[in-house]
Amino acid sequence: MVRSNIFKIVLEILFLNLFLFPIYPENFEPLFIGLFFIFGIYYAAKKRIGILKASKNFISLLIVNTSLFTLLLISLLYSNNLDFGLEFIFRLLPLLIFPIVFFLLKDNKDIYRNKLFVRGKMLFYFSTLTLFLSIFIIFYFRGFVTENYFLNYSYRIIFQLGKYSMHPIYASILTLISLIFSISLFKIKGFKYLIILGNIILTINLFLLSRKSAIIIMCLLFLFFFFFNKKIKFRLKFFFSLIIAFLFTVTIKFIPDISNRFNDIYNLFDTSKSTSTNLRINLFNLSIDAIKEKPFLGYGIGDNKDVLSVLENQNDFFKGNYYNTHNQFLSFLISIGFLGLFIFVLFLYKNWKSAITGGYEQLSIIFLFIFFMFIENILERQSGVIYFSFFINYFSFYNAVNNLK
């Protein structure tokens, strides 16, 4: 009995620990995922949980949520560059680990109880807040907080934070997920004013990161929340809409770095101009050329980079530099073709359908990831694939377990 209680506590700690990833260096994350996976397997062996004994709903969810990784693994068979392919597959392991471990833990009601989930959201929110407050303090004592702080912030978090360095897009994703979680955390007694203060800090951080896509999606998600929430009166909806519209206008007009990024739109049809938007347009055109050659099964995960590199070297716009597709859907089309794209879309649809039962919070986070997949290869960076795999799988199994009650 004592051993059983100790195991239960350790398993819960390992689970909640996943919500603390924002404050861990990237090299610690695989270790903690591995420990959680091992304890999940031990739990399943101890309870003698078999795959065939599970309900069709759980088996279907397991098959769909592991199918993308399975197909990418199979594509190694027709890849020429096996070294790159194996490195890529290793990075994508969370796509396999999380659906398996949450499936094995489906009978563990503690992991899927709402109280523990709320604790997890709180840990994620305050760890993200701690991360960015710590970054500000570090920059302050290094003398980086000057009149150019706004312009240099996104550059510094890429190159000057050591193991904590991150791309502004992924920093924006952490910030946005925390802001989405804050909606339910705001209802917890005693945390209201702390959440308001935290949201102000996180919103400022989002503007400092200067990603126009992140600012647009933040405005869209909160407008959606205000307009479709029946508990909020029309006057308040109108008032908040005006505030969001005003802040959005002021931001893109008077904050230099963000203003410059929105000015990219004026050069949208001049693909010779070197802007982030035109980079993506040129990459889209090259990706389509590559896909036409092998549309059904693609080139294999190992040859994705090599195929794109050859085409980019033939195009003066890229000046000999390599860029990935900056679009997750195009990347999978090159690697595993239209068959792979179909599997990926099916995977997203299945989990989106599940998130509908989970409410606004889950839908918003999945929408957030899908939105960024159109402009970034989210699943090709460690932080992106970990957060995506963790949340999308936990949400789906959480809903499946609780809908049985």
Side-chain angles (χ1 to χ4, degrees):
M1 187 70 178
V2 175
R3 284 183 66 184
S4 179
N5 286 335
I6 291 172
F7 178 79
K8 174 189 168 184
I9 292 167
V10 171
L11 188 61
E12 286 187 16
I13 289 171
L14 287 172
F15 169 70
L16 289 173
N17 189 52
L18 300 173
F19 288 92
L20 288 171
F21 273 15
I23 58 171
Y24 289 140
E26 276 197 357
N27 54 329
F28 277 66
E29 294 168 358
L31 171 65
F32 291 129
I33 292 171
L35 284 172
F36 182 57
F37 185 56
I38 290 167
F39 269 76
I41 292 172
Y42 177 76
Y43 172 85
K46 189 179 175 186
K47 297 288 182 180
R48 296 182 179 178
I49 293 170
I51 293 176
L52 297 177
K53 294 178 183 178
S55 68
K56 288 182 180 179
N57 185 36
F58 284 111
I59 293 173
S60 170
L61 189 55
L62 176 66
I63 291 171
V64 170
N65 283 21
T66 55
S67 60
L68 178 64
F69 181 88
T70 303
L71 190 58
L72 287 164
L73 184 63
I74 291 170
S75 77
L76 280 173
L77 296 174
Y78 54 91
S79 295
N80 292 316
N81 191 341
L82 281 177
D83 289 340
F84 179 76
L86 287 169
E87 181 188 328
F88 205 155
I89 278 291
F90 185 77
R91 201 182 310 138
L92 293 173
L93 272 174
L95 289 172
L96 180 69
I97 289 173
F98 281 121
I100 290 176
V101 73
F102 286 129
F103 174 84
L104 294 175
L105 294 171
K106 67 185 185 305
D107 296 329
N108 188 312
K109 299 297 186 281
D110 296 314
I111 292 294
Y112 295 108
R113 74 183 193 271
N114 183 60
K115 190 175 181 181
L116 194 69
F117 186 19
V118 171
R119 283 180 192 167
K121 288 188 282 188
M122 193 174 292
L123 287 173
F124 189 89
Y125 181 87
F126 285 108
S127 61
T128 303
L129 192 59
T130 301
L131 171 69
F132 291 115
L133 281 173
S134 301
I135 288 172
F136 177 81
I137 292 167
I138 289 167
F139 285 173
Y140 177 80
F141 283 105
R142 287 182 181 178
F144 295 157
V145 181
T146 64
E147 64 271 14
N148 292 322
Y149 182 65
F150 208 107
L151 289 170
N152 296 330
Y153 181 74
S154 59
Y155 170 83
R156 294 192 193 283
I157 69 164
I158 297 174
F159 298 108
Q160 297 182 344
L161 288 173
K163 295 290 184 183
Y164 285 94
S165 295
M166 68 188 92
H167 191 283
I169 283 289
Y170 298 90
S172 298
I173 289 173
L174 289 181
T175 305
L176 286 165
I177 291 173
S178 298
L179 287 169
I180 292 166
F181 279 157
S182 75
I183 294 170
S184 58
L185 296 178
F186 185 77
K187 300 171 186 175
I188 300 173
K189 193 175 180 181
F191 281 89
K192 185 178 289 187
Y193 294 110
L194 191 57
I195 295 296
I196 291 172
L197 177 61
N199 282 1
I200 291 169
I201 294 168
L202 289 172
T203 303
I204 292 170
N205 180 67
L206 197 66
F207 286 122
L208 285 170
L209 291 166
S210 307
R211 303 296 108 170
K212 62 177 182 286
S213 52
I215 294 168
I216 289 169
I217 198 170
M218 180 187 72
C219 294
L220 287 175
L221 288 174
F222 281 95
L223 279 172
F224 182 81
F225 173 76
F226 288 127
F227 270 105
F228 291 94
N229 192 325
K230 295 178 182 178
K231 295 178 182 178
I232 301 175
K233 293 179 181 179
F234 178 78
R235 286 183 180 179
L236 273 177
K237 290 179 182 180
F238 182 72
F239 176 69
F240 279 120
S241 299
L242 285 179
I243 289 177
I244 290 172
F246 173 74
L247 289 174
F248 181 77
T249 305
V250 169
T251 300
I252 64 173
K253 188 73 177 174
F254 297 108
I255 299 178
D257 199 19
I258 297 175
S259 180
N260 292 336
R261 291 183 180 276
F262 276 94
N263 286 337
D264 285 359
I265 297 168
Y266 297 123
N267 298 312
L268 190 60
F269 298 104
D270 185 358
T271 52
S272 63
K273 291 282 181 70
S274 183
T275 66
S276 61
T277 304
N278 286 339
L279 170 66
R280 286 169 172 81
I281 292 172
N282 277 280
L283 285 168
F284 176 84
N285 293 331
L286 286 189
S287 299
I288 295 300
D289 290 339
I291 292 160
K292 285 176 183 177
E293 295 295 318
K294 292 188 178 181
F296 186 64
L297 291 176
Y299 297 84
I301 191 172
D303 296 348
N304 182 308
K305 182 178 179 180
D306 293 341
V307 168
L308 211 54
S309 293
V310 169
L311 293 172
E312 288 175 1
N313 288 333
Q314 296 169 2
N315 190 311
D316 293 337
F317 179 87
F318 299 99
K319 299 175 182 177
N321 297 315
Y322 168 73
Y323 297 91
N324 63 34
T325 57
H326 281 64
N327 183 305
Q328 193 62 68
F329 299 95
L330 289 175
S331 181
F332 283 146
L333 272 168
I334 293 172
S335 295
I336 45 180
F338 279 99
L339 175 62
L341 181 65
F342 172 76
I343 294 295
F344 185 43
V345 171
L346 179 66
F347 166 68
L348 293 174
Y349 171 75
K350 174 84 172 175
N351 288 278
W352 175 268
K353 196 175 174 184
S354 170
I356 291 172
T357 63
Y360 172 82
E361 195 172 73
Q362 293 184 23
L363 280 171
S364 295
I365 290 172
I366 293 177
F367 174 76
L368 171 72
F369 279 113
I370 294 172
F371 177 90
F372 278 112
M373 282 177 186
F374 282 100
I375 58 170
E376 288 293 333
N377 293 28
I378 294 296
L379 303 184
E380 294 175 24
R381 280 182 183 252
Q382 180 179 299
S383 53
V385 72
I386 286 175
Y387 289 119
F388 172 79
S389 304
F390 172 58
F391 284 122
I392 203 166
N393 283 290
Y394 182 64
F395 290 163
S396 288
F397 281 97
Y398 176 89
N399 296 331
V401 168
N402 286 286
N403 286 340
L404 287 176
K405 296 177 182 178

